[in-house]
């Protein structure tokens, strides 16, 4: 949700990733990307990316939120292990990258950015204002890309949210010159 929202926040910032939020990221991923999703929730982001030919090599969340999905006309429930993303290492390094829609509270988000981006190249769906906050400055040093996606309908009810969002690409292990490339809204 957003800072100007009158809605009560859901526990642990559980907001499944809307399909439209994934579309602007797709041109920035290599074909058949193998990704880890350490804040998998009910698997919505995994389903959206796999629909476009990418593969989830690891998915987990701090609690089980398994939800039914329709795959090839059949309803299935995909179970992901329960694990704290801050404790994962090997499973994250075995993927091409990490892609996740993390909790937005800074007490959880800041340690997540630090940990995940030290393990592998990491794409995070975050509020656009993240790049303007003083507390975010230490992380922007290793932010390589920002992809604007505009407002997100978190409830997927056709009502747009009040805040703009972006995909942020962090990688502490990148050895090129420090610079952030911004991609304005396309889709």
């Amino acid at each position: 949700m957003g800072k100007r929202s009158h809605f009560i926040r859901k526990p642990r910032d559980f907001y499944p990733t809307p399909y439209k939020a994934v579309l602007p990221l797709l041109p920035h991923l290599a074909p058949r990307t193998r990704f880890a999703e350490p804040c998998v929730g009910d698997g919505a982001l995994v389903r959206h990316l796999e629909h476009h030919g990418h593969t989830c090599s690891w998915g987990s969340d701090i609690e089980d939120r398994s939800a039914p999905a329709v795959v090839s006309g059949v309803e299935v429930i995909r179970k992901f292990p329960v694990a704290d993303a801050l404790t994962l290492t090997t499973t994250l390094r075995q993927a091409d990258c990490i892609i996740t829609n993390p909790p937005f509270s800074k007490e959880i988000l800041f340690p997540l950015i630090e940990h995940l981006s030290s393990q592998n190249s990491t794409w995070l769906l975050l509020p656009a204002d993240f790049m303007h906050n003083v507390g975010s400055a230490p992380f922007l040093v290793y932010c390589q890309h920002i992809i604007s996606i505009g407002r997100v309908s978190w409830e997927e009810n056709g009502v747009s949210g009040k805040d703009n969002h972006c995909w942020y690409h962090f990688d502490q292990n990148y050895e090129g010159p420090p610079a952030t490339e911004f991609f304005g809204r396309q889709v």
Side-chain angles (χ1 to χ4, degrees), residues 2 9 15 29 32 59 74 76-77 87 94 115-117 126-127 134-135 151 156 161-162 169 172 174:
R9 290 186 75 92
Y15 296 96
L29 300 176
R32 296 176 296 287
V74 178
V76 297
I77 295 180
T87 66
Q94 292 172 341
H115 176 68
L116 298 178
S117 66
L126 301 171
V134 170
R151 294 187 179 169
E156 293 205 78
K162 296 181 180 185
H169 181 213
Q172 291 184 47
Y174 177 71

Side-chain angles (χ1 to χ4, degrees), residues 61-89:
D61 206 302
I62 201 158
E63 70 181 63
D64 182 4
R65 293 188 183 271
S66 303
V70 177
V71 178
S72 301
V74 178
E75 186 174 271
V76 297
I77 295 180
R78 185 168 178 186
K79 299 284 272 179
F80 294 98
V82 174
D84 183 340
L86 293 171
T87 66
L88 300 174
T89 55

